[in-house]
Amino acid sequence: MNLEQVRNIGISAHIDSGKTTLSERILYYAGRIHRINEVKGDGDGAFMDNMDLERERGITIASAATSLQWKGTHINLIDTPGHVDFTIEVERSLRVLDGAILVLCGVGGVQSQSLTVDRQMKRYHVPRLAFINKLDRTGANYKKVCNDLKVKLKADVVVMQIPIGQETNHQGVIDLVQMKAYYFEGKEGDEIREAEVPAELLDAAKTARQEMLEALAMYSDELMELLLAEEPISEELIHKVTRSACIESNATPVFMGSAFKNKGVQLLLDAVVKYLPTPLDRAIKAKKYDNPEETFPLVPETDKPFVGMAFKIVDDPFGQLTYTRVYQGRIKKGELYFNQRTGKKERFSRLVRMHSDKREEIDAADAGDIIAVMGIDCASGDTFSSEQNYCSLESMYVPDPVIKQAVIPADRANADKLAKALQRFRKEDPTFQVFTDSETNEVIIAGMGQLHLEIYVERIRREYKVDLEVGDPKVSYRESAGKRVNFDHKRKKQTGGSGQYGHIKGYMEPIEDGVEENFIFESKVVQGRIPKEYIPSIEKGFRAIIDKGPLAEFPVVKLRVVIEDGSYHDVDSSDMAFQLTSQECFREYFPQTSPSILEPIMKVTVECPEHFQGAVTGHIISKRGLVVSSETGSDGIARMTFEVPLAELFSYSGELRNMTQGQGSFEMEFAHYGKTPSNIQKDIIEAKKASQLVGAH
Ligand code: GDP
């Protein structure tokens, strides 16, 4: 396979922007599906309905990766899940793709999830094209959307097309590189007609072309000089500069149309081939197995050791299906590969390439490709290699769960089925956690939001036919230090037998904002004051005890512990003695840091008709919320962003419905942890004490 002719791309979008519709059109024009499903146009459905819809339509398109051919190029289309609560899956898919299409609604513009996805794309340096969809809808305005891209995403946009008419008059697009008009005719828009730019749009097209060239000139001296000298600029040069601006400098070329009305999709595919990176353009670094601090580049060559990453796991009637991206070497059917995390060997006896509606058995696949392995056992995110202890791919950023809920199976038989379901979901989704409450013995599930948990409960019921009840959702609080405190703690126990001696000096303090780690341990102990082998024991002691903070037994986060000095005893110091020393030290000194309880604060985006705006905002403020932004579109719809404590949001969906006569919709995602006001902190601590008393009886 020639890697120059491979594209691994994803489509990401705010829900309802038309990602599914666009994917479907792409598969249709590439000849992978033969019929376009008729789902009504426009997008005002509530998102729960949309979930069902996605599930129903999922059969044809929502496989984790689908292969298609476009004009000789092999495109792997990787699904990026629709809802914000599943950001971990989005992150994981962004990790394996080389480029992306960001779909934006021509009316809504840059909405909350586009912002999240944009952050994630930046995190993984994924070059992308934007596609402004739904230009046929009332209120569509591609200029506003381009402006949104500039202002809200700080994107360097290069507008490559302008529409021929918008709203009901939307007929096609003008390609500013060729200065040609394109119309999409025939029943499904599959007959493309090229024509001269309509006279009434000629001036607008010329201006837009000039703007496009000026934007591109920022990335190329050659183009800049031609532009200044007013000399002709070749199409090849424009393509070349656009490609490198997009891949190397994060510029965003913008395309447009209407997926639903079959306009502009084929030109978007041409652009994918022209401008998005090949697997050769993206350097992927792996961490050395024996020294994770050190990284080395993976090379997409077939004679190197095989390295691949399992990025999505799906249960299938025939066993586990593991979607894998090959980063280096060649994956071959029948070979044994090492799971780098567990060290276990697995035989890869069946490899398949997924097409939208069928799977094709293959014997091998090369670096750069995306395929699925059938019947192996592993967790999502695992790295495999032909060599033992070779490398691991950078671990993914996994946010902490913010909400938890008890799940209570009806009886023993249901408990067994439940355990099976939970085991599987946990494997697929690291943000979905399962544990047993040590006080009540209940099984608790924890996740990124109420909807996240609701969806899993629903899947447990539907797919595993488990009869269960759920407890009320509960917020996952945290505890954190308020200020730096120095410590000096000595453990000295010499009652009979061998004694226990440990002594540590240093300080603990809150970790500054912007650092992702929740616990940082540093040792600045100079040679020998505490023998090297005990330093990990000290760390281990702290790690074990910060699970339960002193205020109300919530996990302690954002804590840095620095050990500067200490002492030991030849006979009485041991691993255990130092572990206990740090635990005692924590118990004694952490309360002196003026700790407080933190609560998850959610970013809530509400859309509703303008005249409800005041009521909605007032209601949010009564819930300790803050207004982040608020705007009203030309369509009379107010879009507001708030930050609100999760604890106040459990019945929000019903409240919003009542307040807006069913015309409001909202989304929320975790934003950050924030300090709880002192009266609420007091309530939380008291509630915790009360529950412990109940638990004790
Ligand atoms: P997703 O949530 O991003 O996957 O969005 P869907 O593809 O499910 O589309 C959401 C709704 O918008 C559906 O009712 C689609 O039929 C509709 N839709 C998608 N693309 C367009 C478009 O170009 N124009 C119009 N008018 N509606 C569209």
Tab-separated table of all heavy atoms in Angstrom, residues 28-76:
chain	number	residue	atom	x	y	z
A	28	TYR	N	-21.932	7.021	0.642
A	28	TYR	CA	-22.751	6.836	-0.558
A	28	TYR	C	-21.974	7.225	-1.817
A	28	TYR	O	-21.890	6.458	-2.771
A	28	TYR	CB	-24.038	7.662	-0.437
A	28	TYR	CG	-24.863	7.628	-1.699
A	28	TYR	CD1	-25.631	6.511	-2.020
A	28	TYR	CD2	-24.838	8.707	-2.594
A	28	TYR	CE1	-26.357	6.456	-3.191
A	28	TYR	CE2	-25.573	8.656	-3.769
A	28	TYR	CZ	-26.326	7.538	-4.072
A	28	TYR	OH	-27.024	7.489	-5.235
A	29	TYR	N	-21.362	8.413	-1.809
A	29	TYR	CA	-20.651	8.845	-3.019
A	29	TYR	C	-19.424	7.977	-3.299
A	29	TYR	O	-19.000	7.836	-4.423
A	29	TYR	CB	-20.225	10.321	-2.902
A	29	TYR	CG	-21.399	11.262	-2.867
A	29	TYR	CD1	-21.554	12.187	-1.848
A	29	TYR	CD2	-22.378	11.203	-3.868
A	29	TYR	CE1	-22.639	13.032	-1.796
A	29	TYR	CE2	-23.484	12.040	-3.822
A	29	TYR	CZ	-23.608	12.953	-2.778
A	29	TYR	OH	-24.698	13.781	-2.730
A	30	ALA	N	-18.866	7.371	-2.237
A	30	ALA	CA	-17.719	6.502	-2.440
A	30	ALA	C	-18.169	5.098	-2.837
A	30	ALA	O	-17.357	4.205	-3.013
A	30	ALA	CB	-16.873	6.446	-1.176
A	31	GLY	N	-19.482	4.919	-2.945
A	31	GLY	CA	-19.998	3.637	-3.410
A	31	GLY	C	-20.058	2.571	-2.324
A	31	GLY	O	-20.185	1.393	-2.608
A	32	ARG	N	-19.924	2.965	-1.069
A	32	ARG	CA	-19.918	1.965	0.001
A	32	ARG	C	-21.325	1.621	0.471
A	32	ARG	O	-21.569	0.537	0.970
A	32	ARG	CB	-19.079	2.428	1.196
A	32	ARG	CG	-17.621	2.538	0.890
A	32	ARG	CD	-16.823	1.404	1.532
A	32	ARG	NE	-17.338	0.081	1.214
A	32	ARG	CZ	-16.665	-0.833	0.539
A	32	ARG	NH1	-15.478	-0.575	0.069
A	32	ARG	NH2	-17.180	-2.019	0.346
A	33	ILE	N	-22.227	2.564	0.367
A	33	ILE	CA	-23.618	2.218	0.612
A	33	ILE	C	-24.404	2.647	-0.611
A	33	ILE	O	-23.975	3.509	-1.368
A	33	ILE	CB	-24.207	2.880	1.890
A	33	ILE	CG1	-24.062	4.412	1.847
A	33	ILE	CG2	-23.555	2.333	3.133
A	33	ILE	CD1	-24.721	5.097	3.030
A	34	HIS	N	-25.533	2.013	-0.812
A	34	HIS	CA	-26.188	2.211	-2.096
A	34	HIS	C	-27.471	2.987	-2.002
A	34	HIS	O	-28.171	3.200	-2.970
A	34	HIS	CB	-26.377	0.859	-2.778
A	34	HIS	CG	-25.048	0.205	-2.989
A	34	HIS	ND1	-24.129	0.678	-3.894
A	34	HIS	CD2	-24.438	-0.801	-2.334
A	34	HIS	CE1	-23.029	-0.031	-3.808
A	34	HIS	NE2	-23.187	-0.938	-2.874
A	35	ARG	N	-27.776	3.421	-0.810
A	35	ARG	CA	-29.038	4.113	-0.637
A	35	ARG	C	-28.833	5.119	0.477
A	35	ARG	O	-28.119	4.861	1.450
A	35	ARG	CB	-30.099	3.096	-0.205
A	35	ARG	CG	-31.518	3.556	-0.284
A	35	ARG	CD	-32.428	2.357	-0.011
A	35	ARG	NE	-32.177	1.817	1.338
A	35	ARG	CZ	-32.775	2.269	2.432
A	35	ARG	NH1	-33.643	3.244	2.363
A	35	ARG	NH2	-32.519	1.739	3.612
A	36	ILE	N	-29.435	6.255	0.322
A	36	ILE	CA	-29.355	7.245	1.387
A	36	ILE	C	-30.601	7.141	2.240
A	36	ILE	O	-31.715	7.136	1.721
A	36	ILE	CB	-29.194	8.667	0.796
A	36	ILE	CG1	-27.794	8.806	0.195
A	36	ILE	CG2	-29.459	9.714	1.857
A	36	ILE	CD1	-27.548	10.119	-0.491
A	37	ASN	N	-30.413	6.980	3.537
A	37	ASN	CA	-31.573	6.896	4.424
A	37	ASN	C	-32.282	8.230	4.463
A	37	ASN	O	-31.658	9.259	4.586
A	37	ASN	CB	-31.135	6.554	5.841
A	37	ASN	CG	-30.805	5.085	5.958
A	37	ASN	OD1	-31.448	4.253	5.324
A	37	ASN	ND2	-29.789	4.778	6.742
A	38	GLU	N	-33.578	8.183	4.407
A	38	GLU	CA	-34.307	9.439	4.486
A	38	GLU	C	-34.629	9.779	5.929
A	38	GLU	O	-35.473	9.173	6.558
A	38	GLU	CB	-35.593	9.374	3.652
A	38	GLU	CG	-35.374	9.598	2.166
A	38	GLU	CD	-34.479	10.792	1.818
A	38	GLU	OE1	-34.491	11.806	2.545
A	38	GLU	OE2	-33.751	10.711	0.811
A	39	VAL	N	-33.916	10.720	6.448
A	39	VAL	CA	-34.252	11.229	7.776
A	39	VAL	C	-34.555	12.694	7.549
A	39	VAL	O	-33.865	13.354	6.785
A	39	VAL	CB	-33.069	11.076	8.742
A	39	VAL	CG1	-33.402	11.714	10.076
A	39	VAL	CG2	-32.745	9.612	8.934
A	40	LYS	N	-35.562	13.181	8.206
A	40	LYS	CA	-35.984	14.547	7.902
A	40	LYS	C	-34.853	15.570	8.084
A	40	LYS	O	-33.986	15.399	8.929
A	40	LYS	CB	-37.192	14.936	8.768
A	40	LYS	CG	-36.796	15.212	10.218
A	40	LYS	CD	-37.877	15.980	10.931
A	40	LYS	CE	-37.533	16.182	12.385
A	40	LYS	NZ	-36.376	16.948	12.726
A	41	GLY	N	-34.900	16.589	7.280
A	41	GLY	CA	-33.890	17.629	7.371
A	41	GLY	C	-34.094	18.480	8.613
A	41	GLY	O	-34.983	18.216	9.413
A	42	ASP	N	-33.268	19.455	8.753
A	42	ASP	CA	-33.319	20.358	9.894
A	42	ASP	C	-32.917	19.633	11.165
A	42	ASP	O	-32.901	18.438	11.234
A	42	ASP	CB	-34.699	20.974	10.089
A	42	ASP	CG	-34.551	22.474	9.966
A	42	ASP	OD1	-33.745	23.033	10.720
A	42	ASP	OD2	-35.199	23.043	9.092
A	43	GLY	N	-32.616	20.364	12.179
A	43	GLY	CA	-32.074	19.652	13.328
A	43	GLY	C	-32.532	20.197	14.647
A	43	GLY	O	-31.737	20.715	15.401
A	44	ASP	N	-33.802	20.097	14.933
A	44	ASP	CA	-34.227	20.666	16.192
A	44	ASP	C	-34.632	19.614	17.214
A	44	ASP	O	-35.181	19.931	18.253
A	44	ASP	CB	-35.359	21.673	15.955
A	44	ASP	CG	-34.891	22.770	15.014
A	44	ASP	OD1	-33.731	23.178	15.151
A	44	ASP	OD2	-35.668	23.176	14.143
A	45	GLY	N	-34.371	18.343	16.915
A	45	GLY	CA	-34.770	17.281	17.831
A	45	GLY	C	-33.985	17.338	19.130
A	45	GLY	O	-32.864	17.786	19.178
A	46	ALA	N	-34.603	16.876	20.199
A	46	ALA	CA	-33.897	16.833	21.485
A	46	ALA	C	-32.805	15.781	21.409
A	46	ALA	O	-32.895	14.861	20.618
A	46	ALA	CB	-34.881	16.487	22.596
A	47	PHE	N	-31.754	15.913	22.228
A	47	PHE	CA	-30.639	15.017	21.985
A	47	PHE	C	-30.871	13.577	22.414
A	47	PHE	O	-30.240	12.708	21.904
A	47	PHE	CB	-29.303	15.578	22.483
A	47	PHE	CG	-29.217	15.863	23.944
A	47	PHE	CD1	-27.971	15.957	24.532
A	47	PHE	CD2	-30.325	16.053	24.713
A	47	PHE	CE1	-27.867	16.234	25.876
A	47	PHE	CE2	-30.227	16.344	26.061
A	47	PHE	CZ	-28.999	16.429	26.632
A	48	MET	N	-31.824	13.345	23.304
A	48	MET	CA	-32.123	11.949	23.626
A	48	MET	C	-32.686	11.213	22.415
A	48	MET	O	-32.333	10.090	22.140
A	48	MET	CB	-33.106	11.862	24.804
A	48	MET	CG	-32.459	11.485	26.113
A	48	MET	SD	-31.039	10.417	25.949
A	48	MET	CE	-31.051	9.529	27.435
A	49	ASP	N	-33.569	11.905	21.663
A	49	ASP	CA	-34.130	11.285	20.463
A	49	ASP	C	-33.002	10.988	19.499
A	49	ASP	O	-32.971	9.992	18.814
A	49	ASP	CB	-35.122	12.226	19.778
A	49	ASP	CG	-36.206	12.654	20.742
A	49	ASP	OD1	-36.522	11.865	21.614
A	49	ASP	OD2	-36.708	13.772	20.616
A	50	ASN	N	-32.075	11.913	19.483
A	50	ASN	CA	-30.981	11.766	18.565
A	50	ASN	C	-30.147	10.531	18.870
A	50	ASN	O	-29.651	9.872	17.992
A	50	ASN	CB	-30.105	13.004	18.665
A	50	ASN	CG	-29.534	13.357	17.328
A	50	ASN	OD1	-30.232	13.896	16.497
A	50	ASN	ND2	-28.298	13.007	17.119
A	51	MET	N	-30.006	10.251	20.174
A	51	MET	CA	-29.279	9.048	20.586
A	51	MET	C	-29.910	7.817	19.978
A	51	MET	O	-29.247	6.963	19.431
A	51	MET	CB	-29.348	8.893	22.105
A	51	MET	CG	-28.359	9.708	22.857
A	51	MET	SD	-26.734	8.980	22.710
A	51	MET	CE	-27.132	7.261	23.048
A	52	ASP	N	-31.248	7.756	20.110
A	52	ASP	CA	-31.945	6.600	19.566
A	52	ASP	C	-31.740	6.526	18.074
A	52	ASP	O	-31.493	5.479	17.507
A	52	ASP	CB	-33.445	6.706	19.858
A	52	ASP	CG	-33.747	6.199	21.261
A	52	ASP	OD1	-32.896	5.457	21.786
A	52	ASP	OD2	-34.799	6.561	21.801
A	53	LEU	N	-31.832	7.691	17.469
A	53	LEU	CA	-31.678	7.782	16.040
A	53	LEU	C	-30.316	7.242	15.650
A	53	LEU	O	-30.182	6.426	14.744
A	53	LEU	CB	-31.771	9.262	15.657
A	53	LEU	CG	-31.843	9.559	14.183
A	53	LEU	CD1	-33.147	9.044	13.630
A	53	LEU	CD2	-31.762	11.060	13.968
A	54	GLU	N	-29.312	7.677	16.392
A	54	GLU	CA	-27.965	7.251	16.077
A	54	GLU	C	-27.871	5.747	16.184
A	54	GLU	O	-27.231	5.096	15.384
A	54	GLU	CB	-26.995	7.901	17.063
A	54	GLU	CG	-25.716	8.340	16.389
A	54	GLU	CD	-24.923	9.262	17.282
A	54	GLU	OE1	-24.292	8.771	18.221
A	54	GLU	OE2	-24.953	10.470	17.026
A	55	ARG	N	-28.548	5.229	17.201
A	55	ARG	CA	-28.492	3.790	17.398
A	55	ARG	C	-29.130	3.063	16.224
A	55	ARG	O	-28.608	2.098	15.712
A	55	ARG	CB	-29.180	3.433	18.708
A	55	ARG	CG	-28.766	2.086	19.217
A	55	ARG	CD	-29.276	1.852	20.617
A	55	ARG	NE	-28.625	2.694	21.587
A	55	ARG	CZ	-29.241	3.175	22.668
A	55	ARG	NH1	-30.509	2.935	22.864
A	55	ARG	NH2	-28.592	3.899	23.526
A	56	GLU	N	-30.289	3.564	15.795
A	56	GLU	CA	-30.974	2.910	14.685
A	56	GLU	C	-30.150	2.980	13.408
A	56	GLU	O	-30.030	2.021	12.690
A	56	GLU	CB	-32.326	3.559	14.397
A	56	GLU	CG	-33.084	3.997	15.598
A	56	GLU	CD	-34.113	3.014	16.085
A	56	GLU	OE1	-33.747	2.054	16.804
A	56	GLU	OE2	-35.267	3.228	15.756
A	57	ARG	N	-29.577	4.153	13.187
A	57	ARG	CA	-28.837	4.317	11.936
A	57	ARG	C	-27.447	3.750	12.063
A	57	ARG	O	-26.745	3.582	11.095
A	57	ARG	CB	-28.753	5.806	11.591
A	57	ARG	CG	-30.112	6.430	11.433
A	57	ARG	CD	-30.017	7.922	11.461
A	57	ARG	NE	-29.518	8.428	10.191
A	57	ARG	CZ	-29.149	9.694	10.018
A	57	ARG	NH1	-29.184	10.530	11.026
A	57	ARG	NH2	-28.731	10.102	8.845
A	58	GLY	N	-27.063	3.480	13.320
A	58	GLY	CA	-25.718	3.025	13.615
A	58	GLY	C	-25.275	1.846	12.785
A	58	GLY	O	-24.105	1.717	12.458
A	59	ILE	N	-26.229	1.003	12.430
A	59	ILE	CA	-25.896	-0.225	11.717
A	59	ILE	C	-25.102	0.089	10.457
A	59	ILE	O	-24.135	-0.578	10.143
A	59	ILE	CB	-27.180	-0.987	11.325
A	59	ILE	CG1	-28.128	-0.966	12.516
A	59	ILE	CG2	-26.859	-2.398	10.880
A	59	ILE	CD1	-29.589	-0.974	12.136
A	60	THR	N	-25.522	1.124	9.749
A	60	THR	CA	-24.830	1.395	8.503
A	60	THR	C	-23.543	2.175	8.696
A	60	THR	O	-22.591	1.966	7.966
A	60	THR	CB	-25.693	2.216	7.519
A	60	THR	OG1	-26.407	3.162	8.272
A	60	THR	CG2	-26.608	1.338	6.723
A	61	ILE	N	-23.511	3.074	9.643
A	61	ILE	CA	-22.372	3.962	9.625
A	61	ILE	C	-21.521	4.030	10.868
A	61	ILE	O	-20.331	4.263	10.770
A	61	ILE	CB	-22.818	5.393	9.328
A	61	ILE	CG1	-24.053	5.658	10.146
A	61	ILE	CG2	-23.072	5.614	7.881
A	61	ILE	CD1	-24.272	7.102	10.281
A	62	ALA	N	-22.115	3.797	12.026
A	62	ALA	CA	-21.335	4.130	13.215
A	62	ALA	C	-20.351	3.049	13.627
A	62	ALA	O	-20.117	2.833	14.785
A	62	ALA	CB	-22.232	4.503	14.381
A	63	SER	N	-19.777	2.326	12.667
A	63	SER	CA	-18.726	1.419	13.082
A	63	SER	C	-17.518	2.288	13.406
A	63	SER	O	-17.386	3.401	12.924
A	63	SER	CB	-18.442	0.394	11.994
A	63	SER	OG	-17.371	0.781	11.228
A	64	ALA	N	-16.655	1.794	14.274
A	64	ALA	CA	-15.583	2.647	14.790
A	64	ALA	C	-14.640	3.122	13.698
A	64	ALA	O	-14.056	4.190	13.792
A	64	ALA	CB	-14.815	1.905	15.861
A	65	ALA	N	-14.516	2.327	12.646
A	65	ALA	CA	-13.693	2.762	11.526
A	65	ALA	C	-14.212	2.092	10.272
A	65	ALA	O	-14.544	0.913	10.273
A	65	ALA	CB	-12.244	2.387	11.755
A	66	THR	N	-14.338	2.844	9.218
A	66	THR	CA	-14.870	2.345	7.969
A	66	THR	C	-13.902	2.720	6.851
A	66	THR	O	-13.382	3.833	6.846
A	66	THR	CB	-16.226	3.019	7.677
A	66	THR	OG1	-17.090	2.737	8.746
A	66	THR	CG2	-16.828	2.522	6.400
A	67	SER	N	-13.678	1.789	5.944
A	67	SER	CA	-12.766	2.098	4.841
A	67	SER	C	-13.535	2.455	3.588
A	67	SER	O	-14.577	1.869	3.315
A	67	SER	CB	-11.919	0.879	4.502
A	67	SER	OG	-11.195	0.503	5.614
A	68	LEU	N	-13.015	3.387	2.837
A	68	LEU	CA	-13.616	3.690	1.543
A	68	LEU	C	-12.541	4.182	0.581
A	68	LEU	O	-11.437	4.531	1.014
A	68	LEU	CB	-14.719	4.742	1.703
A	68	LEU	CG	-14.306	6.078	2.330
A	68	LEU	CD1	-14.355	7.189	1.296
A	68	LEU	CD2	-15.249	6.405	3.476
A	69	GLN	N	-12.859	4.161	-0.672
A	69	GLN	CA	-11.921	4.624	-1.689
A	69	GLN	C	-12.487	5.889	-2.318
A	69	GLN	O	-13.663	5.933	-2.648
A	69	GLN	CB	-11.779	3.584	-2.818
A	69	GLN	CG	-11.300	2.225	-2.372
A	69	GLN	CD	-9.803	2.204	-2.137
A	69	GLN	OE1	-9.057	2.945	-2.768
A	69	GLN	NE2	-9.351	1.352	-1.221
A	70	TRP	N	-11.645	6.896	-2.484
A	70	TRP	CA	-12.087	8.093	-3.196
A	70	TRP	C	-11.022	8.449	-4.231
A	70	TRP	O	-9.916	8.822	-3.879
A	70	TRP	CB	-12.331	9.252	-2.228
A	70	TRP	CG	-12.856	10.483	-2.911
A	70	TRP	CD1	-12.192	11.646	-3.144
A	70	TRP	CD2	-14.147	10.649	-3.475
A	70	TRP	NE1	-12.982	12.536	-3.800
A	70	TRP	CE2	-14.197	11.956	-4.026
A	70	TRP	CE3	-15.285	9.825	-3.602
A	70	TRP	CZ2	-15.339	12.450	-4.673
A	70	TRP	CZ3	-16.396	10.334	-4.232
A	70	TRP	CH2	-16.423	11.625	-4.762
A	71	LYS	N	-11.369	8.290	-5.482
A	71	LYS	CA	-10.466	8.614	-6.587
A	71	LYS	C	-9.058	8.053	-6.349
A	71	LYS	O	-8.062	8.777	-6.411
A	71	LYS	CB	-10.406	10.122	-6.798
A	71	LYS	CG	-11.784	10.703	-7.141
A	71	LYS	CD	-11.705	12.171	-7.500
A	71	LYS	CE	-13.109	12.707	-7.835
A	71	LYS	NZ	-13.172	14.168	-7.911
A	72	GLY	N	-9.003	6.777	-5.999
A	72	GLY	CA	-7.699	6.129	-5.853
A	72	GLY	C	-7.053	6.289	-4.489
A	72	GLY	O	-5.991	5.717	-4.247
A	73	THR	N	-7.664	7.045	-3.606
A	73	THR	CA	-7.094	7.180	-2.267
A	73	THR	C	-7.906	6.347	-1.285
A	73	THR	O	-9.136	6.308	-1.345
A	73	THR	CB	-7.095	8.661	-1.839
A	73	THR	OG1	-6.255	9.374	-2.732
A	73	THR	CG2	-6.569	8.827	-0.419
A	74	HIS	N	-7.159	5.673	-0.390
A	74	HIS	CA	-7.791	4.820	0.594
A	74	HIS	C	-8.072	5.662	1.843
A	74	HIS	O	-7.147	6.158	2.466
A	74	HIS	CB	-6.823	3.674	0.904
A	74	HIS	CG	-7.318	2.725	1.926
A	74	HIS	ND1	-8.100	1.640	1.615
A	74	HIS	CD2	-7.151	2.696	3.271
A	74	HIS	CE1	-8.386	0.987	2.727
A	74	HIS	NE2	-7.821	1.607	3.745
A	75	ILE	N	-9.337	5.840	2.167
A	75	ILE	CA	-9.681	6.679	3.324
A	75	ILE	C	-10.249	5.807	4.438
A	75	ILE	O	-11.193	5.043	4.214
A	75	ILE	CB	-10.707	7.774	2.936
A	75	ILE	CG1	-10.115	8.690	1.860
A	75	ILE	CG2	-11.124	8.588	4.160
A	75	ILE	CD1	-11.058	9.774	1.361
A	76	ASN	N	-9.648	5.872	5.615
A	76	ASN	CA	-10.254	5.250	6.793
A	76	ASN	C	-10.989	6.344	7.543
A	76	ASN	O	-10.387	7.321	7.981
A	76	ASN	CB	-9.192	4.638	7.711
A	76	ASN	CG	-8.540	3.418	7.092
A	76	ASN	OD1	-9.226	2.521	6.603
A	76	ASN	ND2	-7.220	3.388	7.086
